[in-house]
Amino acid sequence: MTVYTATTTAPVNIATLKYWGKRDKTLNLPTNSSISVTLSQDDLRTLTSVSTCETFTQDKLFLNGHQESLESERTQMCLKDLRSLRRALEESDPSLPKISEWKLQIVSENNFPTAAGLASSAAGFSALVVAISKLYKLPQSMSEISKIARKGSGSACRSLFGGYVAWEMGDELDGSDSKAVEVAPLEHWSNMKAAILVVSADKKDTPSTSGMQTTVKTSDLFQWRIKEVVPKRFEEMKAAIIAKDFTTFADLTMKDSNSFHATCLDSFPPIFYLNDTSKKIIKLIHSINEFYGETVAAYTFDAGPNAVIYYLEENEDKVFGFLYKLFQNVEGWDSKFTSERLSALASAFNDLKQSVPFPLDEDIQKGVSRIILTQVGPGPQDTEESLVDANGNPKI
Amino acid sequence: MTVYTATTTAPVNIATLKYWGKRDKTLNLPTNSSISVTLSQDDLRTLTSVSTCETFTQDKLFLNGHQESLESERTQMCLKDLRSLRRALEESDPSLPKISEWKLQIVSENNFPTAAGLASSAAGFSALVVAISKLYKLPQSMSEISKIARKGSGSACRSLFGGYVAWEMGDELDGSDSKAVEVAPLEHWSNMKAAILVVSADKKDTPSTSGMQTTVKTSDLFQWRIKEVVPKRFEEMKAAIIAKDFTTFADLTMKDSNSFHATCLDSFPPIFYLNDTSKKIIKLIHSINEFYGETVAAYTFDAGPNAVIYYLEENEDKVFGFLYKLFQNVEGWDSKFTSERLSALASAFNDLKQSVPFPLDEDIQKGVSRIILTQVGPGPQDTEESLVDANGNPKI
């Protein structure tokens, strides 16, 4: 029995211009275009292997070592679209094996704890769709394939590219022009770094799908956001990325995060993702930028309290003087820094401390469980690793 | 030496359609019209006595027993306008004493602690302006006088009327049509009650004057709020008050509070007045309304974390079943309720408890220091009390 297998990695992406609101729920068509930075897979990635064999009797999914249901409508749509593209290939070239008719085994693992509250569905659906595209040897471009990932999880489409990525909302009813495109590759602006402050949430947030629907239906301010605010910002942010203009990029990123959370608050009933710790982090970043008289860091928050701080590598000491001082007891610093470097950061800050004109609220640390230090990274990657054995079954 | 004196009380008002944004900073001309409910002076009021005598050598102000500066530009504008109206009277009737030329002593007291974080400037400027108008025997209507109070503190103009009050923004450059008018008197809808939950703030909020300026200058969503959202809501809320339609009134009140705070969050840097306790109160009110399947309570928040809950007297047991259960340890219940009534509320809730489908977060109480139980009330009142003696000096 021939077993076909393929494996890919896929990254997490964090939007700098937010996706919030669907104009079509089934197809995941958004009410506005969005932009994201793809993060390094050294720190955050999904690894997915897929296998297919004529003898497999059902589609199966294994996530982080556990078999999971494949029944979700979203996953089914992705599988259907991918099989249909494979079938077209098989019809045009009868010499190809008819693997579109065979069942699939999908085995997937994250290198970061799901509990961290980082949206893993983008990396997950991106890896699933890319792995099967490879298995099926589909000739379609990444942008074409991104439309399938989009049906799985809207923001997953942006994880098909590395670097700086736009999701063009499109305007076709069938979603045929709602796809991810590259704004600039990783190499264009490779010194973009990101620090994720994992903020403890005291309860479950409103799920983003239902939250979005509430906002679309009830927020008066949202209509203005999607019609006037985001379209202008979309062009400005693409231009800032191309010009490597961090100040503009950072200001737009922070403003768009605030605008998105403002429309959540304007929903009825209102939706809250930022908590008091998130707000303290926002104030801290503004204070740091004000202290240096330049924009050295930008915050952004998705549908939860975690902060993602973007900054340029050359400003790391400036940013981390403050962040290490305030968050030195949280986990994660030693993943990237030697203890010598951390001591140097601490003592550099102590020299500076006298001239800091705002109070350093050391309580802020209590609301944060972990820091993840990462940076802009590439799109889905080929890898020698595989999560399936020669029979196409999950390795134990 | 003849000493002339006058005394008035003036109420606090809490906006249900928020004033946020000035189109003219000096004249306190707003970017949108607003609506408020005037609260009972049994619970919250300023008492102000004024005196004038030819021998007084300077204008003096005594607030809650302490002499304060009268130098503020805002107070000076009010005194100037009032003196100018008096002068016009004296010119038209030469038999009148020329008291417009004499110095004033102003003595003022609140019946509630300033520390509670309740905006006392509305009641304060309203009382000051009304007391001097009485002293000067000005013939102008309350709406005319409200324009002077407006220059002292924008929302003070609404404290010149009882019941339900609109501040019409006007469109003249000189502010001559930016004034308070009565939407409906107290008697029209006298069963409106209010419970103020005083929420502990962990730091000083952004002052509202500078906060407003930041929002006007930087929030994209704000422009839509003032052009489209508020004008529509203004008419709808007036109609709901006239129809005594609590459901509509409550929905608009909650939505407008959220919309105002959303534009604060959309400001750059963002402004936060709601804290985690405020948000828990918002969620609680939505849960209570959902539980009963009708809108029995509405929240609104000014430029701070305190919640004002409006409800109708006939729904007091429904609302207080929950509020007393959750906030029974905070100060203030015994100001209005006997211990028998409170026990009855507690036991009624215990019977109900089994059927409450949402978790009761008893931690919410930790963030609240006090409850103030009050209701809709009348405008400024004459009173037999006086804070000045026969010589026009503050009583000790």
Side-chain angles (χ1 to χ4, degrees), chain B residues 48-111:
Chain B
T48 296
S49 294
V50 288
S51 62
T52 194
C53 176
E54 202 167 357
T55 60
F56 286 178
T57 56
Q58 55 172 319
D59 290 334
K60 285 185 187 167
L61 171 67
F62 300 86
L63 278 184
N64 298 319
H66 300 282
Q67 188 169 352
E68 304 272 347
S69 165
L70 255 174
E71 292 307 294
S72 96
E73 200 190 344
R74 305 224 155 271
T75 315
Q76 288 301 320
M77 271 194 292
C78 293
L79 297 184
K80 191 172 157 237
D81 282 7
L82 291 160
R83 282 185 162 123
S84 142
L85 292 178
R86 170 69 192 182
R87 197 170 308 116
L89 264 193
E90 291 164 1
E91 282 165 7
S92 68
D93 179 357
S95 74
L96 292 177
K98 306 252 171 318
I99 61 176
S100 66
E101 292 163 14
W102 301 355
K103 299 298 176 191
L104 289 159
Q105 293 204 130
I106 304 158
V107 188
S108 197
E109 260 182 25
N110 295 329
N111 68 345

Side-chain angles (χ1 to χ4, degrees), chain A residues 329-381:
Chain A
N329 295 330
V330 311
E331 275 181 66
W333 291 100
D334 56 1
S335 71
K336 289 292 161 76
F337 293 131
T338 61
S339 52
E340 288 73 22
R341 173 103 161 86
L342 291 173
S343 304
L345 278 176
S347 62
F349 187 78
N350 282 335
D351 299 343
L352 201 67
K353 209 173 166 181
Q354 302 303 329
S355 57
V356 174
F358 54 91
L360 292 169
D361 173 9
E362 312 221 359
D363 270 2
I364 196 174
Q365 190 163 237
K366 287 185 195 156
V368 173
S369 61
R370 186 179 171 172
I371 189 165
I372 298 170
L373 300 165
T374 186
Q375 62 192 77
V376 62
Q381 300 287 300

Side-chain angles (χ1 to χ4, degrees), chain A residues 311-330:
Chain A
Y311 62 95
L312 295 181
E313 191 165 11
E314 53 266 41
N315 289 322
E316 191 159 74
D317 282 9
K318 288 185 176 173
V319 177
F320 281 3
F322 286 91
L323 293 193
Y324 184 62
K325 169 72 186 167
L326 288 169
F327 298 103
Q328 57 189 292
N329 295 330
V330 311

Side-chain angles (χ1 to χ4, degrees), chain A residues 202-204 206 218 220-225 227 229 232-233 250-251 254-255 258-263 265-270 272-280 282-283 286 299 361, chain B residues 202-204 206 218 220-225 227 229 232-233 250-251 254-255 258-263 265-270 272-280 282-283 286 299 361:
Chain A
D202 61 347
K203 62 201 156 308
K204 219 179 162 312
T206 308
T218 63
D220 297 300
L221 301 178
F222 176 74
Q223 297 306 322
W224 185 248
R225 167 170 164 80
K227 276 179 206 143
V229 179
K232 189 164 167 273
R233 236 172 234 168
D251 273 8
M254 294 187 277
K255 284 181 179 174
N258 296 337
S259 167
F260 148 50
H261 291 282
T263 65
L265 172 49
D266 189 52
S267 304
F268 197 72
F272 300 105
Y273 292 119
L274 304 176
N275 66 19
D276 284 352
T277 302
S278 314
K279 290 186 222 165
K280 285 180 186 174
I282 288 175
K283 288 188 179 189
H286 281 285
Y299 55 79
D361 173 9
Chain B
D202 62 346
K203 63 202 155 306
K204 217 176 163 313
T206 309
T218 63
D220 297 301
L221 301 179
F222 176 74
Q223 298 305 322
W224 185 248
R225 167 170 165 80
K227 277 181 205 140
V229 179
K232 188 164 168 272
R233 235 171 235 167
D251 274 8
M254 293 187 277
K255 283 181 180 176
N258 296 336
S259 165
F260 148 49
H261 291 283
T263 65
L265 172 48
D266 189 52
S267 303
F268 198 73
F272 301 105
Y273 292 119
L274 304 177
N275 66 20
D276 285 351
T277 302
S278 313
K279 291 186 221 164
K280 285 179 186 176
I282 288 175
K283 289 189 177 186
H286 281 285
Y299 55 79
D361 173 9

Side-chain angles (χ1 to χ4, degrees), chain B residues 221-336:
Chain B
L221 301 179
F222 176 74
Q223 298 305 322
W224 185 248
R225 167 170 165 80
I226 63 172
K227 277 181 205 140
E228 297 291 332
V229 179
V230 176
K232 188 164 168 272
R233 235 171 235 167
F234 184 68
E235 298 305 326
E236 290 170 348
M237 191 176 283
K238 284 197 294 185
I241 290 167
I242 288 161
K244 295 190 269 187
D245 171 356
F246 185 78
T247 301
T248 304
F249 171 80
D251 274 8
L252 293 170
T253 295
M254 293 187 277
K255 283 181 180 176
D256 202 67
S257 175
N258 296 336
S259 165
F260 148 49
H261 291 283
T263 65
C264 290
L265 172 48
D266 189 52
S267 303
F268 198 73
I271 302 161
F272 301 105
Y273 292 119
L274 304 177
N275 66 20
D276 285 351
T277 302
S278 313
K279 291 186 221 164
K280 285 179 186 176
I281 295 170
I282 288 175
K283 289 189 177 186
L284 173 68
I285 298 299
H286 281 285
S287 298
I288 293 172
N289 289 336
E290 207 179 315
F291 175 74
Y292 290 114
E294 61 172 325
T295 307
V296 296
Y299 55 79
T300 187
F301 294 81
D302 280 345
N306 294 341
V308 178
I309 314 294
Y310 285 115
Y311 64 94
L312 296 180
E313 191 165 11
E314 55 266 41
N315 289 322
E316 190 159 74
D317 282 10
K318 288 186 176 172
V319 177
F320 281 3
F322 286 92
L323 293 192
Y324 184 63
K325 168 72 185 166
L326 288 169
F327 299 104
Q328 56 190 291
N329 295 330
V330 311
E331 275 181 66
W333 291 100
D334 57 1
S335 71
K336 290 292 161 76

